[in-house]
Each structure stands twice: as C-alpha cells, then as structure tokens.
C-alpha cells in the first residue's frame, strides 16, 4: 500500500516516524511519501518538504509568509495527486491539514485518516463538522477527546498516547545511561539540574526563554540550568538570549528530563513528556497583553486549563503561568516551591502517577497502524479507488 503523511512540526515528525515504523510491521510492502522531518526520513520513503519550511506561528509570521504557505499547499495537493496513495494520513497541524483533507476527499476520493486530533475542544469547535465531511477515521491520543467528539455525534478511536511509547522506547534503549555519563558528555558540573524547555519554534523561544532564565538566576549557586535545544534551531539562535555559561543540549531532551530536579516548560506536548519522566514543572507561556489573554481564556475558551497535564488529569496538577502570571517573580516563586517544598513536589508526583494511569499502556503507534491498515482492507475503502489521481 501507498501512504502519504503530512506533519508540520517537530512533534508531528516524531509521532509520524513512530507510526511509519508501526505500519511497516503490518505492511511489509508499504511505500511512504511525506511532508515531515528528519525522523520520518529515517523510516524510508520520500521527504517532499521539511517542516522547518512550514512552521509559521502567529498572525504576523503567517501573514508575512502567506505566499510560501499557499505554494506549499499547492505543491502538496499536486504531489498527492501524482503519487496516488491508498490513504492520506494527517498529523495535527490543522490550518494546513484540514484544507488538504477537503481537497483529497472532494477531488481525489482517497481515504483520509487524521492521527492526533487538532485541539478543537479548546477553540474552533466548529471544525468538527469539517472532520465529519472530510475525515474517514479520527485517531485520538488524549482520552477525554472521545467524550468530546461523542457529544458532536462523531465516532473516534482512542489509540493511546504516543508520548508513552516514545518515553518507554527511550528508557529501553538507554538502560545503561547514568547521570554521570550525561554530565560528562555535555561538560556539565555536578550541581543538580533544572531543565529549561522554551518551545520548539523560534517565536516561542524568543518570547519565553529570557524570562525563564531570569527567574532561574537566583538558584544558580546551588543548581545549574540546562536548556533543551529544539530540533531544527541552531545553537547561534540561542546565543541571542543566553548571556552566561548556561549550556544548550541538542537531541537530548529525554536524557535531560531523566536527571532534572525540576523544569520550566513552555505549554505544549513537552509538558506531558515532562510529567511522564516525573519531573516537577511549571508550565509557562508568554502572551501579548497578558491580562487580556487571561480574560479571553476564562470567558471564551472551552477548557479550564492550557496544559495537557491538567487537561488529562481533569484537575490542577501543575501551575500554569501564562498571560499576566508569566513574570520573573511568579516563575521564581514557583521554582522555589518545586525545588524546596517536599510536600508540594510529592503531591505533584502523585498527580503524575494518576495521569500515567489514565493514559494507559504503550502501543499507540501499533494500534494506530492497525486501524489504518484495517480501514484500507474494508470493502468500502477498496471500492473507493482514487481514479481521479493525476497521471505519473
């Protein structure tokens, strides 16, 4: 079978790569073509466009790169038609992928699977109607999404969370690793570590990292901050914001979390990964017009939390410092509690354990691959031959 995948950011590249590996276990003749990144490329097939050329976040960056975005979309549509896959698999990245889903279903009649649902439960709830029209199978990785979609009379499948798979795989592959190895490999001191995860995009790093580092500064005597470098971001970019000897480590985020005492984490998938490693954390996110952002969140968003940790646990396990709460003083106070208040740490770790139980066992990628291959072997799908694909 032929599989066309579209991932538009680093986390999608990771989960897309794991899904491709799982599909190959179910379909030895699988052919892949994709928009993605280095991890997906290692699984084989053809990388058409790297996510680094697609990751535009925020109104102004999108507006400034609107022609590039349209070119990427047109290229993607043309490439899908030429490749003529048996299925198109969309991985999060809703602004781009929903338009592709509409095109594929209306113009090519190819089955569409969405793996990792966009966060429509937080905003843009109306997109559920588009899913109903253009997506044959929605595979969710957050347990509460099943009930959300059920309220919209849309049947989805929870396959487990790929973060659980990724962390388990890392631990299995790094059983012999030790904190001494990590410190030596990265020329670090013996001080306990505080992990700084400032985001995966340049704008997130620019917005969050300086405040995180200022908030950490009073602890520098007893602890060392270590910044997790984001995939695709150069070391030189980080030098714009780091004016001391604070190190940046690349391709070692999971190793860093394995040994960190606490963490500042920009809201997103990294908050969940930090919880899976049981590292006490403060969830941070800078927004323009902080007080306005908090007001908008309270009155217009459909969810009570911004972090995946609290959303999955359905209670406040970690503190969310965004909007008007994203200040050096607030972050500093929270880090002090994370490092020195044993009861506070213990309560957070208990919340993590409950979260891990809710997520369930590993195997999300394999279950997702099962669902996709099963879809392709149903008579309904096989009869929907993509006869309108473009000639090779």
């Amino acid at each position: 079978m032929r599989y066309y995948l579209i991932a538009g950011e680093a986390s999608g590249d990771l989960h897309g790569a794991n899904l491709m590996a799982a599909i190959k276990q179910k379909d030895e003749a699988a052919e892949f073509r994709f928009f993605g990144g280095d991890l997906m490329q290692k699984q084989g097939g053809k990388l058409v466009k790297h996510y680094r050329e697609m990751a535009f976040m925020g109104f102004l960056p999108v507006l400034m790169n609107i022609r590039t975005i349209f070119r990427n979309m047109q290229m993607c549509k043309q490439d899908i038609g030429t490749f003529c896959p048996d299925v198109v698999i969309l991985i999060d990245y809703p602004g781009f992928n929903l338009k592709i889903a509409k095109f594929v279903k209306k113009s090519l009649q190819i089955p569409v699977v969405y793996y990792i649902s966009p966060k429509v439960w937080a905003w843009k709830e109306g997109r559920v109607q588009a899913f109903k029209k253009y997506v044959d199978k929605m595979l969710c990785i957050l347990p509460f999404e099943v009930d959300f979609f059920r309220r919209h009379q849309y049947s989805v499948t929870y396959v487990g969370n790929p973060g659980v798979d990724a962390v388990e795989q890392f631990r299995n592959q790094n059983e012999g690793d030790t904190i001494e190895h990590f410190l030596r490999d990265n020329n670090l001191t013996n001080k306990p570590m505080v992990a700084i995860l400032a985001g995966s995009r340049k704008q997130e790093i620019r917005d969050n990292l300086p405040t995180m580092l200022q908030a950490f500064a009073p602890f520098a005597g007893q602890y060392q901050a270590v910044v997790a470098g984001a995939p695709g971001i150069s070391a030189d970019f980080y030098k714009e914001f780091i004016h001391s000897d604070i190190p940046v480590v690349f391709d070692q985020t999971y190793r860093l979390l394995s040994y960190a005492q606490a963490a500042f984490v920009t809201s997103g998938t990294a908050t969940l990964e930090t919880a899976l490693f049981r590292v006490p954390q403060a969830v941070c996110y800078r927004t323009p017009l902080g007080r306005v952002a908090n007001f908008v969140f309270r009155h217009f968003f459909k969810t009570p939390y911004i972090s995946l940790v609290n959303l999955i646990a359905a209670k406040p396990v970690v503190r969310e410092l965004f909007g008007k709460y994203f200040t050096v003083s607030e972050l500093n106070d929270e880090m002090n509690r994370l490092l020195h208040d044993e009861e506070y740490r213990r309560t957070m770790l208990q919340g993590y354990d409950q979260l891990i139980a809710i997520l369930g066992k590993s195997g999300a990628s394999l279950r997702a691959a099962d669902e996709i291959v099963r879809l392709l072997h149903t008579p309904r799908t096989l009869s929907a031959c993509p006869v309108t694909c473009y000639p090779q």
Side-chain angles (χ1 to χ4, degrees), residues 1 85-86 105 108-111 136 374-388:
M1 294 284 186
D86 295 286
K105 286 302 293 181
L108 303 180
Q109 292 84 53
I110 299 172
D136 296 278
R374 187 180 301 120
L375 174 70
L376 293 179
H377 285 86
T378 60
R380 179 186 64 83
T381 303
L382 292 177
S383 64
C385 181
V387 294
T388 52

Side-chain angles (χ1 to χ4, degrees), residues 64-80:
M64 292 171 62
N65 292 279
I66 195 69
R67 290 186 179 180
T68 299
I69 293 170
F70 282 138
R71 280 198 300 270
N72 288 342
M73 192 168 295
Q74 191 57 41
M75 173 197 285
C76 186
K77 292 176 180 179
Q78 181 71 37
D79 198 59
I80 292 171

Side-chain angles (χ1 to χ4, degrees), residues 54-71 93 203:
M54 301 168 62
F56 306 113
M57 184 186 71
F59 178 76
L60 282 179
V62 169
L63 188 63
M64 292 171 62
N65 292 279
I66 195 69
R67 290 186 179 180
T68 299
I69 293 170
F70 282 138
R71 280 198 300 270
Y93 201 51
Q203 190 59 53

Side-chain angles (χ1 to χ4, degrees), residues 62-222:
V62 169
L63 188 63
M64 292 171 62
N65 292 279
I66 195 69
R67 290 186 179 180
T68 299
I69 293 170
F70 282 138
R71 280 198 300 270
N72 288 342
M73 192 168 295
Q74 191 57 41
M75 173 197 285
C76 186
K77 292 176 180 179
Q78 181 71 37
D79 198 59
I80 292 171
T82 301
F83 184 59
C84 206
D86 295 286
V87 63
V88 173
I89 304 169
L90 310 174
I91 305 173
D92 202 357
Y93 201 51
F96 188 94
N97 275 339
L98 272 177
K99 293 180 176 63
I100 295 298
K102 180 178 180 179
F103 164 78
V104 169
K105 286 302 293 181
K106 294 186 72 171
S107 300
L108 303 180
Q109 292 84 53
I110 299 172
V112 174
V113 174
Y114 219 123
Y115 178 50
I116 306 181
S117 165
K119 300 173 181 63
V120 292
W121 33 263
W123 62 85
K124 297 189 177 179
E125 196 167 339
R127 280 178 168 171
V128 176
Q129 301 308 314
F131 295 155
K132 288 182 175 181
K133 286 184 181 179
Y134 309 124
V135 176
D136 296 278
K137 190 77 175 177
M138 176 68 77
L139 304 178
C140 296
I141 64 168
L142 300 173
F144 62 83
E145 290 178 327
V146 176
D147 289 336
F148 168 81
F149 284 114
R150 186 177 292 138
R151 292 197 296 272
H152 289 272
Q153 291 78 52
Y154 184 46
S155 178
V156 302
T157 302
Y158 174 64
V159 294
N161 193 281
V164 176
D165 295 15
V167 171
E168 182 178 276
Q169 182 182 44
F170 167 82
R171 285 174 169 155
N172 291 338
Q173 293 175 348
N174 293 270
E175 286 187 73
D177 197 25
T178 66
I179 188 170
E180 289 77 19
H181 292 153
F182 180 73
L183 296 175
R184 185 190 62 220
D185 291 347
N186 294 285
N187 297 314
L188 302 175
T189 71
N190 290 322
K191 292 179 182 178
M193 288 177 287
V194 171
I196 309 290
L197 282 65
S200 60
R201 301 181 180 95
K202 286 186 175 181
Q203 190 59 53
E204 287 179 325
I205 297 165
R206 188 177 288 113
D207 288 344
N208 293 289
L209 184 57
T211 302
M212 290 174 163
L213 293 178
Q214 288 180 57
F216 169 78
F219 304 98
Q222 290 182 280

Side-chain angles (χ1 to χ4, degrees), residues 237-383:
F237 179 78
Y238 283 94
K239 291 177 183 177
E240 297 179 30
F241 314 103
I242 300 176
H243 306 294
S244 63
D245 57 353
I246 292 175
V248 182
V249 300
F250 289 91
D251 303 317
Q252 299 181 78
T253 300
Y254 280 8
R255 285 186 84 194
L256 173 58
L257 290 175
S258 296
Y259 305 120
Q261 296 294 305
F264 283 140
V265 186
T266 295
S267 181
T269 306
T271 64
L272 180 57
E273 293 170 323
T274 302
L276 290 172
F277 279 98
R278 301 183 80 253
V279 180
Q281 66 179 300
V283 175
C284 313
Y285 206 87
R286 181 187 179 276
T287 60
L289 303 173
R291 291 183 181 276
V292 174
N294 292 116
F295 176 85
V296 169
F297 180 78
R298 283 196 310 272
H299 293 89
F300 296 99
F301 277 54
K302 305 287 187 179
T303 173
Y305 308 112
I306 66 166
S307 70
L308 289 177
V309 175
N310 292 344
L311 284 164
I312 295 168
K315 66 178 183 180
V317 175
V318 298
R319 187 141 181 249
E320 300 177 344
L321 301 172
F322 72 101
K324 67 178 181 180
Y325 301 107
F326 184 76
T327 66
V328 171
S329 175
E330 291 280 1
L331 268 66
N332 181 271
D333 288 347
E334 185 63 13
M335 181 54 64
N336 187 55
R337 297 185 72 186
L338 294 172
L339 291 172
H340 300 134
D341 187 333
E342 288 300 325
E343 182 60 30
Y344 191 65
R345 288 173 60 90
R346 189 179 304 112
T347 301
M348 189 175 294
L349 294 177
Q350 289 172 350
Y352 286 171
D353 291 339
Q354 294 167 5
L355 162 77
I356 292 167
I358 292 170
L359 287 174
K361 296 180 180 180
S362 61
S365 301
L366 284 170
R367 287 189 286 270
D370 272 335
E371 293 288 336
I372 293 167
V373 172
R374 187 180 301 120
L375 174 70
L376 293 179
H377 285 86
T378 60
R380 179 186 64 83
T381 303
L382 292 177
S383 64

